[in-house]
Amino acid sequence: MSTRSSSLPLDALGRGSIALAVVAVQAVAFTVAYSLGRPTLYAIFAILSAAGLGAATHRGAFGVAMATLGSVLLVALGLPLLVFAARQSPDLVIEAAIDPAVHRVLYLGVYAPLLAAVASLTFGVPLAYHLSRGFPVQSLVESLVDLPLVVPHSVAGIVVLAGFGEGGAFPNLSVFGTLTGMVLALTFVSAPYAVNAAREAFESVDDRLEYAARIHGASPWQAFRRVTGPLAVRGMVTGGVLAWARSVSEFGAVVVVAYSVEFFYPPAGERVVAQHAPVFVWNLFQRGGLDESGAVAALLLGVSAAIFLLVRWLTADATTTRGVA
């Protein structure tokens, strides 16, 4: 049965051209609605235009309903960001962008989450592999892994401080007010994302492929390195990106464990003191209100989005077509 009838009638123009046209139309529509002081009009337009695109897929009422309902969530997620970006004062954003204190905050806001993501993957991938293969107390371990997802993050900070701080499991480890403590707190709240994504990736790999490698003489490590690992790498990368993104936004645990930390700052060639970006933005909001904190928040959003998209772009092709190495 032919599938051409379900494709977009504008496919002849190319999907890239269609995407650019949709983005351009949406941008113009938002600009007009915002200039009129009626962002609600844009929300209505966005939902109706999604319904129109759904109709263009020739999938009938089902396609229209799915596109319309999906667009409601996209509007809920995207409209606040668009309004937030439109409300920023360019002067305040430029002033924040050239402030050395903001540079240190942005550096720490990327660097510490990166360390947490690396730690989550380093220790989370082996755990995810075992979870995907099953063992007697798996349910208990899975519950322990998922527990940080439901624990209030201020509580998570207290738990980390009790477990690893003064009087904790490692008496010689300096945690309170240190970069080490910040990374521990970030890892505590973000590791479940890395473990669960990697576990789902391992579970999607056919066990028979690994078994075939073993009966052909491969050791467990060789079977993992040449078969299971390459096939599951996309899930592992996704888990690392999710862990990093979750760490960038963490506030509660960090403000308890490491409100301000000292760390080596390469651009200055010396150790400096700064706060994690969400903590810094909160303090700025308390002192300067929405306008001043919004400028730094806009920079943090821009940096985070750029890194997120870059990682996705760099890993997309490398993780979709590779098979057995």
Side-chain angles (χ1 to χ4, degrees):
M1 179 182 295
S2 173
T3 59
R4 288 184 179 279
S5 61
S6 64
S7 61
L8 281 167
L10 299 178
D11 270 359
L13 299 176
R15 292 185 178 275
S17 300
I18 295 173
L20 287 176
V22 169
V23 170
V25 169
Q26 296 293 327
V28 171
F30 174 77
T31 302
V32 172
Y34 186 79
S35 64
L36 295 174
R38 302 289 299 276
T40 306
L41 293 177
Y42 170 71
I44 296 171
F45 172 80
I47 293 172
L48 291 177
S49 60
L53 288 173
T57 62
H58 289 179
R59 291 174 181 165
F62 175 77
V64 174
M66 296 296 279
T68 304
L69 293 175
S71 68
V72 172
L73 180 58
L74 287 179
V75 168
L77 295 173
L79 187 58
L81 289 173
L82 290 173
V83 174
F84 170 78
R87 290 184 60 178
Q88 298 312 306
S89 165
D91 292 340
L92 285 178
V93 174
I94 293 173
E95 184 179 335
I98 60 177
D99 186 348
V102 175
H103 296 170
R104 293 193 291 270
V105 168
L106 293 178
Y107 176 83
L108 183 63
V110 174
Y111 175 58
L114 180 61
L115 293 178
V118 170
S120 296
L121 285 177
T122 300
F123 304 107
V125 167
L127 176 60
Y129 177 78
H130 285 293
L131 288 173
S132 70
R133 297 301 183 258
F135 49 85
V137 291
Q138 181 170 344
S139 297
L140 180 62
V141 174
E142 287 176 338
S143 299
L144 179 62
V145 169
D146 290 337
L147 188 61
L149 297 176
V150 297
V151 171
H153 289 176
S154 56
V155 176
I158 294 172
V159 170
V160 170
L161 206 55
F164 300 108
E166 185 177 354
F170 304 98
N172 296 325
L173 184 65
S174 180
V175 172
F176 185 70
T178 67
L179 181 61
T180 301
M182 178 181 288
V183 173
L184 280 172
L186 296 178
T187 303
F188 186 87
V189 299
S190 64
Y193 296 91
V195 174
N196 289 331
R199 184 191 63 188
E200 291 176 5
F202 286 133
E203 288 175 344
S204 69
V205 178
D206 193 336
D207 292 347
R208 291 172 295 183
L209 295 175
E210 188 173 317
Y211 177 74
R214 293 295 307 279
I215 64 175
H216 282 86
S219 66
W221 163 242
Q222 289 172 327
F224 178 85
R225 183 173 65 85
R226 299 180 65 87
V227 179
T228 312
L231 291 173
V233 67
R234 183 180 180 84
M236 290 187 275
V237 172
T238 299
V241 173
L242 291 175
W244 174 82
R246 180 64 192 85
S247 297
V248 168
S249 64
E250 177 55 29
F251 174 81
V254 170
V255 80
V256 172
V257 177
Y259 186 82
S260 296
V261 301
E262 182 179 289
F263 60 99
F264 180 74
Y265 183 51
E270 61 182 1
R271 298 184 70 80
V272 299
V273 176
Q275 298 169 333
H276 191 35
V279 179
F280 183 83
V281 170
W282 170 250
N283 285 331
L284 212 55
F285 176 75
Q286 295 283 73
R287 296 197 309 266
L290 189 59
D291 291 340
E292 195 170 341
S293 61
V296 178
L299 291 175
L300 180 63
L301 273 172
V303 171
S304 300
I307 294 177
F308 197 82
L309 291 174
L310 177 63
V311 172
R312 289 287 193 186
W313 179 73
L314 288 175
T315 57
D317 291 336
T319 56
T320 54
T321 60
R322 286 184 180 180
V324 179

